[in-house]
Amino acid sequence: MAGDSATIETGPREDVHSPVALSVQGLQKIYSSDTGDVEAVRDLTFELRQGELVCLVGPSGCGKTTLLRCIAGLLDPTAGTVTLDGAVVTGPPKKMAVVFQEYGRSLFAWLTVRQNVELPLKNAGMPKAERQKAVSEALHAVGLEHAESSYPWQLSGGMQQRVAIARAVAYKPEVLLMDEPFAAVDAQTRADLEDLIRRVWKELGVTVLFITHDIDESVYLGERVLILSNSPTVIQEDLTIDLPADRDQLTTRSLPRFTELRTHVYAEIQKAKRGKGGDA
Amino acid sequence: MTAAASTSSPVSPTSPPRRAHGRGAPLPSWVLGVLGIVGFLATWELVVRSGLVEAEYLPAASAVLREIAELAGTSEFWAALGRTVRTWAIGLAIAASAAVVVGLVIGPSRFLRRATHSTIEFLRPIPSVALIPLAVLLYGTSMQSTLLLVVYAAFWQVLIQVLYGVGDVDPVASDTARSFGLGALARIRHLTWPTALPYVMTGLRLGAAVALILTVTGELVIGGGGIGTEIALANSGGAVPQMYALVVVAGLIGVVVNLVARVVERRALHWHVSVRREAL
Amino acid sequence: MKVLKSIAYAVTLPALLILLWWVLTIDSTNFYVPKPGELATTFVDTWFGERFREDVMPSVARFAAGTLLAIVLGIAAGVCIGSVRWLRSLLEPMLEFFRAIPPPVLVPILMVLIGINDRMKIAVIVFGAIWPVLLNTIEGVRAVDPVLVDTARTYGLSRWQRLRTLVLPSAAPQIAAGVRQALSIGLILMVISEMFASSSGLGFTIVLFQRSFAVTEMWSGIVLLGLIGVAVSIVFQVCERKILHWYYGQKEVQHGR
């Protein structure tokens, strides 16, 4: 592990003793095609403790999405295992929800906002009254109670992503995966949504794995940041973010510590791009 | 009137190519396609050979194929085929030119578009076969009878697409052309026509399929020579294998027409930047 | 005001055309072209009597039965074929061939296979009208957005839920386009099957009028077929707008941007 600055502490935070929620062991994914094999992910090992908010950041094209799809059970890894609550993931697990980057395409255009949020609950067989309540709460949490009978395509991009988040929240997953969820929304909306994620995470105590290519975002959001190397992908560094728990777009981002951490992550990613620090 | 034409042109512009990995197709799709054809012929042969259906009503595939080979050796067959193709081509040409002219006149004017809308929407769904008695009354069993049906049916297909195409002209481009002092004719030539061309091609593809249906229908019901008439003759003469052979030939003409129309359309769409959904 | 204006737009041209027709035939003795008034009375006399029950209703019933069957079978088979990749590759060339056969040539074939009866006429409609529905359903099922498929999978939607809330709605615009084609083919085949082999029904009656040179009656039959075509198209459009309101809404939004 490369630790340039002595003040940066690496490794999972020691004082967290909650049980492991999600564990990825020696994960490898090779795509075979006619033109030869492509190794998207080489050897990934990391753990998420229950209730943690961990950001995964890496240069673009480093296999972040492949990793997410493997964790979500949408893709079979070539080698290694993903374990959720002690059970090996072989298909999409029940207690996991995913928020995709393409909000416009992950919502059902023929269902209203409320129906979109309700669908997974209905499918899970939740009784109607309970379902109604859960949906209303989730919509309230993301500030969309006024838009519940609109259709997704009538909403702005940021609001559509809120619907996707509400759907995930209402589902009450143990682990929430987010795949660059804010990459396609404007900067102002993005800041709002970041705060929304922090709030939801704190209120629900859910374990969150947040994948992003944005360094600022990863440092601002995460309790821990996992830095990925360029493909083939391995974990280059596991960094604890020792910023105060109450974060605020203005004050947190202007803390000297924030700048230090950001610079550190930036340097690591530059190294990853050059392909130096990756061979763990 | 709309008919059996494909809507397989660009369907969902946002969806990326499907995942190519995973289980992995053991056989390329064209091999499967050939297998499908062979399987179909074999099943057909078996159904007849086993006596499930009497050969008197459904001759075996081999018998029909033999019949096609025999037909291909006669000059009458080629004359009939030539006649069908000629009627089809003339009908399509008349319908398409008329539709393009009418479309270019009506399309650019909002007033004309609105004034003709109800009339077009009323005339379009009239099944062109309703005109068969009129055609017979006017032209007897000559080729004109069938042409009347073909032109009527194909005209609407092309017209609707031309109107869509003309409606697609960018208003900014139109204003620009006006401000540069381009006259009405020059605007049609340099702006309206190029914009509408891909739509015209789609209209031609749809119209070509409809025109073929009506050509064969006219020949079948009215008479006057061509593949359709040959089918009617074979039917009334009890020449069952020949009838099947001619039906297969009619299907093959249809396949060729569809393939050619699709290639032509794709050529025309090639330079058209925006992938659009076929106007339904 | 706006409503009045659009009514004026919708009515003016047809009214002008009828007026023109009326003026041109006012002292005409043209055998082939009846006068508007004459045609109107003949239309009522000819079709709103016993014929309505004897000829029109059975024809329309056969059309409805045949196309409905074609639509249901086409969607069901299309969903199955569209969701299994190898099956699709296996069957697609065959299906393209069947679709390319001009449907009316099926009439003589089914006459031989089934005989001349109602079942044959319905079978003709089913065999002719099923292809556009089937092929469009396959295409629509295949084009379901992969992100949406992933979403459905991560929330563990059951097979039935996936079909009902994901596959069918997402393929619905394509299916609707196929159904529209199926309806017009069905109407053609309804007429053709009766012209070819029947002693009753709309198609038969119109040809009978033509053969006996009852020109005004023949015209009234053409008008009736036209009206049926228009009615079917209106019913279809109303249903389509209702079922696909989200699709048109979405398209409008995308165009607006």
Side-chain angles (χ1 to χ4, degrees):
Chain A
M1 288 283 161
D4 293 334
S5 135
T7 56
I8 305 288
E9 147 195 10
T10 61
R13 196 186 271 186
E14 293 303 317
D15 53 39
V16 178
H17 291 295
S18 44
V20 172
L22 179 77
S23 156
V24 175
Q25 296 294 330
L27 192 82
Q28 182 193 36
K29 179 67 194 178
I30 298 173
Y31 293 110
S32 42
S33 70
D34 301 336
T35 51
D37 292 355
V38 181
E39 188 180 34
V41 176
R42 174 165 290 174
D43 179 21
L44 275 181
T45 300
F46 62 89
E47 279 176 353
L48 261 68
R49 296 190 170 276
Q50 242 168 45
E52 258 191 319
L53 200 175
V54 175
C55 286
L56 223 141
V57 61
S60 37
C62 73
K64 295 188 291 273
T65 297
T66 302
L67 171 63
L68 174 118
R69 292 176 58 89
C70 286
I71 296 175
L74 294 168
L75 204 59
D76 294 330
T78 311
T81 52
V82 176
T83 319
L84 179 70
D85 268 344
V88 174
V89 170
T90 50
K94 258 215 151 70
K95 283 279 103 187
M96 188 185 275
V98 184
V99 175
F100 293 95
Q101 177 186 338
E102 303 94 334
Y103 48 79
R105 288 167 52 199
S106 81
L107 296 173
F108 297 83
W110 42 90
L111 300 181
T112 62
V113 166
R114 173 168 270 277
Q115 288 167 332
N116 260 290
V117 178
E118 195 178 6
L119 180 65
L121 308 180
K122 209 167 163 181
N123 182 66
M126 190 187 272
K128 191 165 178 189
E130 200 183 326
R131 203 162 75 206
Q132 301 277 7
K133 196 165 153 269
V135 174
S136 299
E137 279 170 10
L139 286 173
H140 178 76
V142 300
L144 273 182
E145 53 278 67
H146 61 282
E148 61 167 34
S149 48
S150 304
Y151 285 88
W153 37 267
Q154 293 171 322
L155 307 177
S156 67
M159 279 161 90
Q160 291 184 27
Q161 194 57 291
R162 276 169 202 265
V163 178
I165 293 168
R167 181 170 61 186
V169 166
Y171 191 61
K172 300 215 166 51
E174 277 162 21
V175 174
L176 178 57
L177 298 183
M178 308 189 91
D179 182 17
E180 306 205 25
F182 310 145
V185 296
D186 62 90
Q188 185 52 52
T189 311
R190 187 179 189 138
D192 291 346
L193 290 174
E194 281 165 6
D195 290 335
L196 172 69
I197 290 300
R198 289 282 305 178
R199 207 179 70 227
V200 164
W201 166 69
K202 258 189 259 170
E203 281 170 11
L204 296 180
V206 61
T207 314
V208 181
L209 180 62
F210 191 102
I211 295 179
T212 176
H213 65 263
D214 185 309
I215 295 161
D216 276 46
E217 187 167 80
S218 69
V219 173
Y220 179 73
L221 276 181
E223 302 292 291
R224 243 168 82 206
V225 171
L226 301 172
I227 302 167
L228 293 183
S229 71
N230 214 343
S231 49
T233 307
V234 297
I235 297 273
Q236 173 154 329
E237 188 178 343
D238 187 337
L239 177 71
T240 302
I241 303 296
D242 45 4
L243 291 170
D246 278 329
R247 296 186 193 172
D248 172 76
Q249 291 287 352
L250 274 180
T251 49
T252 308
R253 282 182 195 270
S254 53
L255 289 175
R257 183 66 185 152
F258 181 86
T259 317
E260 265 172 51
L261 287 164
R262 196 189 60 186
T263 312
H264 176 78
V265 175
Y266 180 76
E268 283 299 313
I269 290 202
Q270 286 307 316
K271 223 188 283 172
K273 270 194 202 160
R274 290 194 302 269
K276 273 185 189 164
D279 297 279
Chain B
M1 205 209 67
T2 333
S6 138
T7 29
S8 60
S9 52
V11 171
S12 126
T14 45
S15 66
R18 307 267 302 175
R19 259 185 306 144
H21 27 261
R23 246 126 285 176
L27 288 169
S29 65
W30 68 268
V31 174
L32 278 169
V34 171
L35 276 179
I37 296 173
V38 172
F40 173 76
L41 291 175
T43 317
W44 177 3
E45 187 78 23
L46 232 91
V47 163
V48 181
R49 288 272 168 107
S50 66
L52 213 66
V53 181
E54 279 180 58
E56 202 183 319
Y57 304 127
L58 176 65
S62 55
V64 172
L65 289 178
R66 210 175 316 121
E67 190 68 35
I68 293 177
E70 251 167 58
L71 276 176
T74 65
S75 58
E76 288 90 345
F77 168 76
W78 292 106
L81 184 66
R83 205 183 160 89
T84 299
V85 172
R86 206 172 74 218
T87 310
W88 168 78
I90 297 175
L92 183 60
I94 297 174
S97 352
V100 166
V101 171
V102 172
L104 287 181
V105 170
I106 295 177
S109 150
R110 193 176 137 75
F111 170 75
L112 284 179
R113 267 202 324 265
R114 293 191 68 185
T116 53
H117 181 77
S118 65
T119 312
I120 291 176
E121 283 307 307
F122 182 80
L123 292 176
R124 188 160 75 112
I126 295 178
S128 54
V129 288
L131 301 178
I132 287 178
L134 182 69
V136 174
L137 211 56
L138 291 176
Y139 301 113
T141 58
S142 65
M143 191 215 244
Q144 278 99 311
S145 277
T146 302
L147 265 183
L148 181 72
L149 307 184
V150 175
V151 171
Y152 187 86
F155 174 77
W156 302 110
Q157 297 288 327
V158 185
L159 177 65
I160 294 300
Q161 293 294 330
V162 176
L163 289 179
Y164 275 126
V166 174
D168 199 34
V169 172
D170 190 339
V172 177
S174 180
D175 289 346
T176 313
R178 247 178 239 266
S179 73
F180 281 115
L182 264 71
L185 268 182
R187 281 209 303 274
I188 286 182
R189 220 185 105 199
H190 297 294
L191 184 64
T192 314
W193 178 246
T195 314
L197 189 61
Y199 291 86
V200 174
M201 288 301 157
T202 303
L204 269 183
R205 173 167 65 74
L206 298 170
V210 170
L212 183 68
I213 293 177
L214 268 299
T215 305
V216 176
T217 306
E219 291 169 351
L220 182 77
V221 181
I222 302 173
I227 295 288
T229 307
E230 295 295 318
I231 292 175
L233 286 177
N235 176 45
S236 57
V240 175
Q242 197 182 347
M243 183 178 81
Y244 276 92
L246 287 163
V247 167
V248 171
V249 169
L252 291 177
I253 304 175
V255 170
V256 171
V257 165
N258 282 349
L259 284 180
V260 171
R262 259 183 237 178
V263 169
V264 171
E265 188 194 17
R266 204 150 295 163
R267 280 266 167 87
L269 283 172
H270 192 62
W271 54 270
H272 191 71
V273 203
S274 74
V275 186
R276 75 212 154 72
R277 227 198 116 117
E278 185 167 286
L280 301 170
Chain C
M1 195 54 218
K2 221 176 158 186
V3 179
L4 280 180
K5 211 169 161 190
S6 30
I7 290 176
Y9 267 117
V11 170
T12 310
L13 184 62
L16 280 176
L17 288 175
I18 291 173
L19 191 72
L20 187 72
W21 172 20
W22 183 69
V23 169
L24 286 180
T25 54
I26 214 158
D27 342 278
S28 125
T29 47
N30 190 329
F31 176 68
Y32 294 112
V33 185
K35 298 183 168 81
E38 214 180 8
L39 182 60
T41 37
T42 311
F43 180 81
V44 175
D45 292 347
T46 309
W47 300 108
F48 286 88
E50 206 181 323
R51 276 220 184 79
F52 188 75
R53 208 162 37 78
E54 304 261 301
D55 292 315
V56 182
M57 287 312 285
S59 288
V60 173
R62 282 193 294 265
F63 162 74
T67 22
L68 273 180
L69 211 57
I71 291 168
V72 171
L73 291 177
I75 293 176
V79 167
C80 296
I81 299 172
S83 356
V84 183
R85 191 187 313 187
W86 63 266
L87 196 59
R88 200 172 68 228
S89 306
L90 190 72
L91 294 181
E92 217 150 38
M94 246 12 263
L95 297 179
E96 286 290 343
F97 171 75
F98 278 117
R99 185 237 282 269
I101 296 179
V105 305
L106 296 168
V107 178
I109 288 216
L110 291 172
M111 253 165 65
V112 169
L113 272 177
I114 304 179
I116 300 176
N117 52 32
D118 272 3
R119 263 195 313 147
M120 178 278 276
K121 284 174 203 147
I122 293 175
V124 165
I125 295 175
V126 174
F127 270 98
I130 195 173
W131 309 113
V133 181
L134 177 61
L135 283 148
N136 275 34
T137 307
I138 294 176
E139 196 61 43
V141 168
R142 203 177 60 98
V144 174
D145 195 310
V147 176
L148 219 45
V149 174
D150 282 350
T151 306
R153 284 183 64 197
T154 54
Y155 286 113
L157 292 198
S158 63
R159 191 175 267 270
W160 166 241
Q161 278 282 16
R162 244 188 323 210
L163 180 68
R164 220 172 57 101
T165 52
L166 172 63
V167 176
L168 283 180
S170 139
Q174 287 268 18
I175 296 177
V179 167
R180 166 177 276 205
Q181 294 176 7
L183 287 172
S184 47
I185 293 175
L187 209 52
I188 291 179
L189 290 175
M190 172 194 93
V191 177
I192 297 282
S193 67
E194 291 166 359
M195 283 184 175
F196 220 82
S198 193
S199 53
S200 70
L202 253 173
F204 168 79
T205 314
I206 295 175
V207 171
L208 191 71
F209 287 144
Q210 174 245 313
R211 291 204 179 128
S212 53
F213 292 97
V215 175
T216 312
E217 281 82 358
M218 182 197 83
W219 270 106
S220 76
I222 294 176
V223 170
L224 180 62
L225 278 180
L227 288 176
I228 294 176
V230 173
V232 167
S233 151
I234 289 174
V235 170
F236 170 79
Q237 274 176 36
V238 169
C239 295
E240 192 196 23
R241 282 271 153 190
K242 204 152 204 177
I243 297 171
L244 292 182
H245 71 103
W246 61 269
Y247 173 72
Y248 289 104
Q250 194 176 30
K251 231 170 48 169
E252 254 166 51
V253 171
Q254 281 163 356
H255 271 253
R257 268 174 200 167

